[in-house]
Amino acid sequence: MLSRSQGKSDYDDPEFPKEAKCTLACSFEKNGVLKADGSFDKEKDKEAVEEIVKDEVLKAKLMAAIDECDVTAKADKCEAAYEFVKCKKAKVRRS
């Protein structure tokens, strides 16, 4: 969950709030990353990373994570968005 003191989300928390998952989905939808069928446009996600992330090492890790994370389309877009972010974060952490 979001720790107010740290300002970070704990995506490994089994009680990660549904409303936070849906906020992720909404953000992805607005940026064209989450498609209507619940799948992800990885190229759009990479465009966003390219534009937003300034640290080149982190950017490279995120780009690789986007390619490696293969979250299948789900009817629950909130859950799909959460799984995609959780996967990317885990991949970046391990690299």
Side-chain angles (χ1 to χ4, degrees):
M1 278 198 268
L2 189 63
S3 167
R4 293 183 196 277
S5 62
Q6 296 174 350
K8 296 181 182 178
S9 297
D10 181 2
Y11 295 103
D12 296 322
D13 184 342
E15 295 185 26
F16 193 84
K18 178 75 172 181
E19 52 275 1
K21 293 177 182 181
C22 291
T23 299
L24 292 171
C26 182
S27 176
F28 281 139
E29 284 181 316
K30 285 184 178 182
N31 290 302
V33 175
L34 181 58
K35 298 188 254 183
D37 66 0
S39 65
F40 294 90
D41 184 333
K42 291 184 177 187
E43 291 308 311
K44 286 273 190 193
D45 199 22
K46 287 180 178 182
E47 287 173 16
V49 168
E50 190 67 44
E51 184 178 320
I52 296 168
V53 179
K54 302 303 179 205
D55 181 295
E56 293 300 322
V57 173
L58 177 58
K59 187 183 297 186
K61 289 180 180 183
L62 281 167
M63 294 294 195
I66 291 168
D67 285 334
E68 293 172 18
C69 290
D70 190 25
V71 176
T72 56
K74 298 180 186 231
D76 184 341
K77 292 179 184 179
C78 301
E79 195 62 35
Y82 167 70
E83 291 296 327
F84 189 50
V85 170
K86 184 177 173 180
C87 176
K88 290 190 297 183
K89 183 170 176 121
K91 298 278 185 189
V92 167
R93 197 179 314 143
R94 289 185 203 132
S95 60

